[in-house]
Amino acid sequence: MQQKTIWTLFLIIGISVLDHSCQKHIDAVKTITYVYRNSSGHDLNMEVYNSNDDLFKNYYIPNNSSIETHTSRVETVALFFFASLEDHIGDSVVLRFTNGKCIHYSKDNTDKIFHITQYDNYDPVLMEYGKPITYTLYYTITVDDYNESVDCE
C-alpha cells in the first residue's frame, strides 16, 4: 500500500511538471520604435555619444522632417539603446544646429530627451512590467530647444 501511495505521489508531481512546462510562455518584451521630429526651425544633426564620449551615431534631421533611430526589443523602454552595436548605449545627445548652435542632453541628468515622460505620446503602460507591447514613441525637437542652445564648442 505504501508503494502505491509513493508511486501515485510521483505520478502527480510528474504530471504537474509536464503541465507547467508545456504551457505557452509569453515574453514581456516591449517592441518600441523611436522617432525624432525636428520642428525647431533649423536643420540639425543629432549626435549620440556613449559613456566614453565616443560619437557612435549621427542623424541628420532637416527642419520639418523626422527620422527613426532604432527599434528596441527588451523588457523596458530603451532610449538610445542600440543592441546591434558593441558600445550600444547612448549616454549623451548633442543637437547640433546647422548655424553653429548646440544643446547637450545627458542621461545622468535625465534631461528632456532622456526623460520618457517628455516624449510626445508617452503612455504609462510603457512602464508596466510584464506587459508586452508594440509602440512607436515620438519626440519633437522644438523652437524652445533651439532657443536654449548655445554656440557650439
Side-chain angles (χ1 to χ4, degrees), residues 87-107:
D87 265 336
H88 54 271
I89 299 173
D91 194 63
S92 63
V93 170
V94 174
L95 301 180
R96 190 176 302 273
F97 298 95
T98 53
N99 66 349
K101 297 277 192 174
C102 290
I103 189 164
H104 181 270
Y105 297 111
S106 172
K107 182 172 78 173

Side-chain angles (χ1 to χ4, degrees), residues 99-102 149-153:
N99 66 349
K101 297 277 192 174
C102 290
S149 66
V150 296
D151 291 335
C152 298
E153 295 176 10

Side-chain angles (χ1 to χ4, degrees), residues 14-115:
I15 290 171
S16 223
V17 167
L18 279 175
D19 182 50
H20 282 70
S21 67
C22 292
Q23 289 179 357
K24 187 175 181 179
H25 176 70
I26 299 173
D27 288 329
V29 170
K30 295 179 186 339
T31 303
I32 303 174
T33 301
Y34 301 85
V35 175
Y36 294 85
R37 302 175 186 165
N38 180 3
S39 296
S40 69
H42 302 271
D43 296 350
L44 64 87
N45 282 298
M46 183 171 73
E47 302 171 349
V48 183
Y49 294 84
N50 64 19
S51 60
N52 296 323
D53 280 337
D54 297 324
L55 172 66
F56 72 97
K57 285 285 189 178
N58 187 14
Y59 302 96
Y60 176 69
I61 315 172
N63 186 46
N64 293 322
S65 65
S66 62
I67 53 108
E68 180 181 309
T69 59
H70 65 294
T71 299
S72 64
R73 289 178 182 83
V74 292
E75 293 179 356
T76 187
V77 175
L79 302 172
F80 302 105
F81 175 80
F82 301 89
S84 62
L85 300 173
E86 189 174 315
D87 265 336
H88 54 271
I89 299 173
D91 194 63
S92 63
V93 170
V94 174
L95 301 180
R96 190 176 302 273
F97 298 95
T98 53
N99 66 349
K101 297 277 192 174
C102 290
I103 189 164
H104 181 270
Y105 297 111
S106 172
K107 182 172 78 173
D108 292 337
N109 298 329
T110 60
D111 286 331
K112 286 173 63 172
I113 207 164
F114 283 100
H115 200 284

